[in-house]
Amino acid sequence: MIQLTRDEIDYVAMTEAVRTPQAGAVVLFLGTVREMTAGRRTVALDYEGYPEMAESKMRELAEEARRRWPVEKLAIAHRLGRLELGDVSVAIAVSCPHRHQAFDAGRFLIDTLKETVPIWKKENWADGTTEWVHPGT
Amino acid sequence: MIQLTRDEIDYVAMTEAVRTPQAGAVVLFLGTVREMTAGRRTVALDYEGYPEMAESKMRELAEEARRRWPVEKLAIAHRLGRLELGDVSVAIAVSCPHRHQAFDAGRFLIDTLKETVPIWKKENWADGTTEWVHPGT
Amino acid sequence: MKVQVKLFARARELANSDVVEVELPADGTVGQLRAVLTERYAALRPMVRSLLFAVGNEYADDAAVIPPNGEVACFPPVSGG
Amino acid sequence: MKVQVKLFARARELANSDVVEVELPADGTVGQLRAVLTERYAALRPMVRSLLFAVGNEYADDAAVIPPNGEVACFPPVSGG
């Protein structure tokens, strides 16, 4: 279950979708829009994506997680467009037989998503300026 | 938000309760009743607790997590009584500014809960026998 | 002094009681309680060393002195989660 | 050959276009595309070394040859999540 959406992410449906009697552990990660970043106040974020490649990379991430851990089920969703403070920008749900597998797989999925999936955010600072977040530039 | 309950755990309310614009990351862990354990089939688990001490220990866990990580909000719930396959026995929701903090705090909370909180489960095996789970005995 | 001891899980089932009253000397310890309990309940003897005790909702080792009117509990290793 | 290049994020804003067409020799490489793009769009020059390229939805380095009719994209480092 891989999804790019401009609507609110339904993390409850994702969590229910990964629950199964084969798994003893479910880990859900939510990335949410934080107000303060390095002392500066944000009022909103704009997320832009390269949809075809982003979905392809998210599917690759899912396959890699399944190779590395005994994943029963997983779901990844990323939102695009204008997000307000506290909104969920990304959700990852994963179920495994045992809890450390689910924690490790969930952390791998979000860490690697942030490195490889072609999605970008633009800060809308409280002072009225905007700024693309492009690490290393 | 610390809860021992004989009813279904409302993990959605717990997750919503820990969301905040001060946090960029929410981690939710669900422990669910797994059908197979070391090759044996379970049909149900009975959870028993020592309620006063269990709640006291869960509060201590929450305080320890707050000392060790910049936790914005957290919620812990454990269910008691008869649980069927797939039911949620324990839920931990934690929010932090950054994701690795939330993953580390969530993992600490469930690992330590399983070691210190006085709750016990009894397996109801598919062959009709029952067995208390008492590690090391 | 009389001490009420709450029992849980397999300890409760083996003793066939969820609370038992035992007589201990004043300043009696958890170690003395462990001995008294397993003397009275033969079924508990196979798990005597793994039984855990709590006094006032805190884990207590064999050297811990049991206060008068303290809340005391005895149970096997925990398995929540 | 003519290559359509999709631009994203700050690269799209600096070039003021979400897709540009450039002329490359047959068997042109990503490195040649990088040079042509930053020659045409002066605004992209400060980020020339950090621009990433994808061909057919896969990251491609400067040595990668661009196939005819391949889907090509150019963008700065990603920041999703």
Side-chain angles (χ1 to χ4, degrees):
Chain A
M1 186 174 164
I2 301 290
Q3 192 188 26
L4 269 185
T5 176
R6 303 187 81 82
D7 301 323
E8 206 170 309
I9 291 175
D10 187 351
Y11 73 80
V12 181
M14 294 170 62
T15 307
E16 289 298 307
V18 304
R19 284 176 62 183
T20 159
Q22 277 68 59
V26 171
V27 166
L28 171 72
F29 173 80
L30 302 179
T32 59
V33 179
R34 197 180 56 236
E35 184 171 20
M36 301 304 293
T37 294
R40 296 186 75 182
R41 187 179 306 275
T42 299
V43 293
L45 292 178
D46 292 306
Y47 280 89
E48 177 174 330
Y50 175 13
E52 304 88 326
M53 183 173 171
E55 290 185 3
S56 166
K57 287 287 157 198
M58 287 157 77
R59 278 191 298 271
E60 285 179 21
L61 287 186
E63 288 160 18
E64 179 66 15
R66 287 181 179 282
R67 271 191 292 274
R68 294 173 62 169
W69 293 278
V71 171
E72 292 293 340
K73 298 186 180 188
L74 67 78
I76 309 175
H78 203 299
R79 191 166 166 192
L80 301 177
R82 169 64 57 103
L83 274 73
E84 310 292 338
L85 296 185
D87 283 352
V88 174
S89 55
V90 60
I92 288 172
V94 58
S95 60
C96 292
H98 299 287
R99 69 190 185 281
H100 287 172
Q101 302 157 347
F103 274 105
D104 288 345
R107 191 188 289 230
F108 165 81
L109 286 165
I110 182 61
D111 284 356
T112 315
L113 180 150
K114 290 175 77 88
E115 288 172 0
T116 67
V117 174
I119 294 173
W120 306 268
K121 59 172 158 260
K122 186 163 70 171
E123 292 276 6
N124 294 266
W125 299 114
D127 64 11
T129 61
T130 65
E131 183 180 355
W132 284 103
V133 180
H134 292 321
T137 65
Chain B
M1 184 175 165
I2 301 290
Q3 193 189 24
L4 269 185
T5 175
R6 304 188 81 81
D7 300 323
E8 208 170 308
I9 291 175
D10 188 350
Y11 73 82
V12 180
M14 293 169 63
T15 306
E16 289 298 307
V18 305
R19 284 177 60 182
T20 159
Q22 277 68 59
V26 171
V27 167
L28 171 71
F29 172 81
L30 302 180
T32 58
V33 178
R34 198 180 54 235
E35 184 173 19
M36 301 304 295
T37 296
R40 295 186 76 183
R41 186 179 305 275
T42 299
V43 293
L45 293 177
D46 293 305
Y47 280 89
E48 176 173 331
Y50 175 13
E52 304 90 324
M53 182 172 171
E55 289 184 3
S56 166
K57 287 287 157 197
M58 287 158 78
R59 279 193 296 273
E60 285 179 23
L61 286 187
E63 289 160 16
E64 179 67 14
R66 287 181 179 283
R67 271 191 293 273
R68 294 173 63 168
W69 292 278
V71 171
E72 292 293 340
K73 299 187 180 187
L74 68 78
I76 308 175
H78 203 299
R79 191 165 167 193
L80 301 178
R82 167 65 56 104
L83 274 73
E84 310 292 338
L85 296 184
D87 282 352
V88 174
S89 55
V90 60
I92 288 171
V94 58
S95 60
C96 292
H98 299 287
R99 67 189 187 281
H100 286 172
Q101 301 158 347
F103 274 105
D104 287 346
R107 192 189 288 233
F108 165 81
L109 285 165
I110 182 61
D111 284 355
T112 316
L113 179 149
K114 289 175 75 87
E115 288 171 359
T116 65
V117 174
I119 294 174
W120 306 267
K121 59 171 158 262
K122 185 162 70 171
E123 292 277 7
N124 294 263
W125 299 112
D127 64 10
T129 62
T130 66
E131 184 181 354
W132 283 103
V133 181
H134 292 321
T137 64
Chain C
M1 64 180 178
K2 290 193 190 315
V3 178
Q4 310 273 337
V5 184
K6 295 183 176 187
L7 300 177
F8 293 97
R10 187 160 160 76
R12 173 181 57 72
E13 285 191 354
L14 290 174
N16 199 27
S17 182
D18 56 7
V19 58
V20 299
E21 187 175 274
V22 301
E23 183 70 32
L24 282 186
D27 296 328
T29 64
V30 164
Q32 290 174 298
L33 174 58
R34 185 191 302 273
V36 170
L37 274 180
T38 48
E39 186 178 353
R40 188 192 302 181
Y41 297 98
L44 290 177
R45 285 173 205 164
M47 65 190 326
V48 55
R49 291 319 309 165
S50 63
L51 285 173
L52 302 171
F53 290 83
V55 176
N57 292 337
E58 288 293 341
Y59 287 99
D61 63 19
D62 277 355
V65 171
I66 296 171
N69 309 115
E71 165 135 341
V72 180
C74 168
F75 45 77
V78 304
S79 56
Chain D
M1 63 181 179
K2 291 193 189 313
V3 178
Q4 309 272 337
V5 183
K6 295 184 175 186
L7 300 177
F8 293 97
R10 188 159 159 74
R12 173 181 57 72
E13 285 190 355
L14 289 174
N16 198 29
S17 182
D18 56 7
V19 58
V20 299
E21 187 176 273
V22 301
E23 183 69 32
L24 281 187
D27 295 329
T29 64
V30 165
Q32 290 174 296
L33 175 59
R34 184 190 303 272
V36 169
L37 274 180
T38 49
E39 186 179 351
R40 187 192 302 179
Y41 297 98
L44 290 176
R45 284 173 206 162
M47 63 190 329
V48 56
R49 292 318 312 166
S50 63
L51 286 173
L52 302 172
F53 290 84
V55 177
N57 292 336
E58 287 295 339
Y59 287 101
D61 63 19
D62 277 355
V65 172
I66 296 172
N69 309 117
E71 165 137 340
V72 179
C74 168
F75 45 78
V78 305
S79 56

